[in-house]
């Protein structure tokens, strides 16, 4: 069997390099999970690695779901799963998770991601409600989202809203 020092060295290598070469480290993390199936950190690492490849996105989503079962109050897992859902073109699930992330977040704001996903999903009226609630100070990429929202209202003849946004 491996000595404690060899195990520690492998773990350190894994922690430092697992995202640089996911295919190399996936079997290592899967082996760790077989010994500790309730270790949310290993599930998180595996999800991060699998989220790097569009072919393994469903597996990443499953791993993030396990993380959420094990750590239901951790907003980061909802956010990460939302990004996987978005990459997998499941915008409704992405919106559900990003809203949950915002509810559970203690310090982080996911407002800009909510607005971006609402606009991407074509939910302009929802984005307008967010705009009128006055949370735009939390929006990291306001110019693009505001332009998109104003364009929607301009195309629909709602010039007062468009001018309000652009004004």
């Amino acid at each position: 069997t491996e000595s404690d020092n060899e195990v520690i060295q492998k773990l350190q290598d894994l922690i430092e390099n697992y995202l640089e070469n996911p295919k190399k480290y996936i079997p290592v993390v899967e082996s760790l999970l077989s010994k500790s199936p309730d270790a949310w950190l290993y599930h998180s690492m595996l999800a991060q690695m699998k989220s790097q490849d569009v072919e393994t996105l469903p597996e990443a989503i499953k791993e993030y779901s396990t993380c959420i079962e094990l750590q239901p109050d951790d907003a980061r897992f909802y956010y990460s799963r939302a990004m996987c859902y978005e990459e997998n073109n499941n915008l409704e699930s992405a919106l559900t998770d990003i809203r949950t992330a915002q509810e559970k977040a203690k310090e982080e704001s996911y407002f800009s991601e909510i607005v971006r996903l609402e606009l991407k999903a074509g939910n302009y009226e929802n984005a307008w409600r967010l705009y009128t609630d006055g949370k735009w100070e939390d929006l990291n990429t306001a110019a693009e989202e505001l332009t998109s929202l104003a364009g929607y209202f301009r195309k629909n003849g709602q010039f007062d809203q468009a001018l309000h946004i652009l004004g």
Side-chain angles (χ1 to χ4, degrees):
T1 66
E2 295 178 296
S3 71
D4 288 345
N5 287 339
E6 289 172 322
V7 170
I8 290 169
Q9 182 58 45
K10 280 185 176 181
L11 284 173
Q12 184 160 352
D13 182 50
L14 170 69
I15 291 167
E16 292 173 0
N17 301 304
Y18 75 99
L19 288 177
E20 291 175 18
N21 187 356
K23 291 187 193 272
K24 174 182 176 185
Y25 293 103
I26 286 175
V28 175
V29 176
E30 287 174 337
S31 172
L32 292 168
L33 273 170
S34 71
K35 297 172 187 159
S36 302
D38 291 334
W40 66 265
L41 178 61
Y42 297 150
H43 285 285
S44 176
M45 293 171 79
L46 192 57
Q48 288 175 50
M49 289 185 282
K50 291 187 177 210
S51 71
Q52 305 296 313
D53 184 346
V54 86
E55 292 180 17
T56 55
L57 275 175
E59 296 169 46
I61 291 168
K62 182 180 175 223
E63 291 300 329
Y64 282 125
S65 296
T66 301
C67 291
I68 290 166
E69 288 174 22
L70 296 169
Q71 297 286 314
D73 293 324
D74 195 325
R76 297 171 301 171
F77 298 135
Y78 293 93
Y79 168 80
S80 296
R81 188 172 70 177
M83 296 301 99
C84 289
Y85 279 135
E86 178 188 12
E87 187 70 25
N88 219 19
N89 293 315
N90 185 343
L91 295 180
E92 198 57 44
S93 292
L95 277 164
T96 298
D97 271 3
I98 201 68
R99 289 181 191 123
T100 302
Q102 183 64 48
E103 290 170 14
K104 294 189 177 286
K106 300 203 181 352
E107 295 176 18
E108 185 75 27
S109 174
Y110 298 104
F111 181 75
S112 61
E113 294 296 332
I114 294 170
V115 172
R116 187 182 61 73
L117 287 170
E118 289 286 9
L119 291 171
K120 188 173 182 178
N123 299 332
Y124 293 96
E125 297 299 328
N126 289 348
W128 173 250
R129 277 191 292 282
L130 291 167
Y131 174 80
T132 56
D133 285 347
K135 296 182 179 180
W136 288 92
E137 66 274 3
D138 293 336
L139 190 58
N140 296 329
T141 55
E144 185 177 334
E145 280 79 6
L146 287 172
T147 301
S148 175
L149 187 57
Y152 165 78
F153 286 118
R154 183 184 54 77
K155 287 178 191 172
N156 288 296
Q158 296 170 294
F159 298 111
D160 287 344
Q161 285 98 330
L163 287 172
H164 180 77
I165 293 167
L166 296 174

